[in-house]
Amino acid sequence: LGADRGRRVKAADARTRGAHPLRQRALRHQFELDLAGVPQLFEDDRSRRARIGADDLADAAVFLMREYDSAEIINVGVGQDLSILELATIIQEITGYKGSVRFDPSKPDGTPRKLLDVSALTALGWKAKIPLREGIEKTYHWYLEHLAKAAC
């Protein structure tokens, strides 16, 4: 595995050349995790986070620019959260990953729950249109399609 690993590391470094240094670091870190074979999750299985897709976030921003005329801060979100483990399980189901995941206890836990109160946004009539699972499925399929194109 040593020589093969070295070639794979050089290939990964070549793919990130020219990218922003923080992006290079993130991609290199992901590559190292891929080589390790077991995805590592930060936080723990009790941490809960709200998620919103990029399309819904953009839609909410446009909606607010048209409909909201106040200096008060307004939260944008879906009003639901899920645990890091629940999110990982959804990703496993979508990608067909059958292996295990583990939590990295060396990483600090953040705030136990991050869920915005989106009642003001909801009262204005906005609601997310793309369910989390559907958004992840679309993103994953887009990734596979573009990965195949890049390989050609």
Side-chain angles (χ1 to χ4, degrees):
L1 183 67
D4 181 54
R5 184 180 189 283
R7 281 191 294 276
R8 291 169 67 186
V9 168
K10 286 180 184 174
D13 286 345
R15 286 193 303 270
T16 64
R17 199 168 287 124
H20 187 279
L22 289 176
R23 177 135 173 82
Q24 284 178 339
R25 198 166 110 204
L27 290 170
R28 177 64 183 254
H29 175 72
Q30 183 59 51
F31 178 74
E32 293 293 332
L33 288 177
D34 291 346
L35 284 179
V38 178
Q40 297 178 13
L41 305 177
F42 290 11
E43 310 255 349
D44 65 30
D45 65 341
R46 295 167 302 184
S47 298
R48 299 186 66 81
R49 301 286 178 265
R51 307 282 178 205
I52 185 170
D55 289 346
D56 280 332
L57 181 59
D59 183 62
V62 170
F63 175 85
L64 288 169
M65 285 186 269
R66 292 182 176 150
E67 305 294 329
Y68 191 65
D69 189 25
S70 173
E72 294 296 315
I73 293 173
I74 190 165
N75 293 325
V76 174
V78 296
Q80 298 174 325
D81 62 357
L82 72 163
S83 74
I84 305 298
L85 183 58
E86 288 170 325
L87 178 61
T89 301
I90 290 170
I91 293 169
Q92 283 181 288
E93 291 168 356
I94 291 169
T95 62
Y97 177 73
K98 302 291 185 213
S100 62
V101 295
R102 67 182 170 104
F103 290 91
D104 185 345
S106 71
K107 303 295 188 252
D109 287 339
T111 306
R113 188 173 191 208
K114 293 182 183 176
L115 178 62
L116 298 173
D117 175 1
V118 295
S119 58
L121 181 61
T122 304
L124 289 172
W126 187 87
K127 182 179 177 189
K129 295 174 180 72
I130 303 170
L132 178 67
R133 177 182 272 290
E134 181 183 324
I136 293 172
E137 286 173 345
K138 285 181 179 180
T139 301
Y140 180 62
H141 292 298
W142 178 93
Y143 169 77
L144 291 177
E145 182 180 312
H146 285 78
L147 182 67
K149 286 179 184 177
C152 295

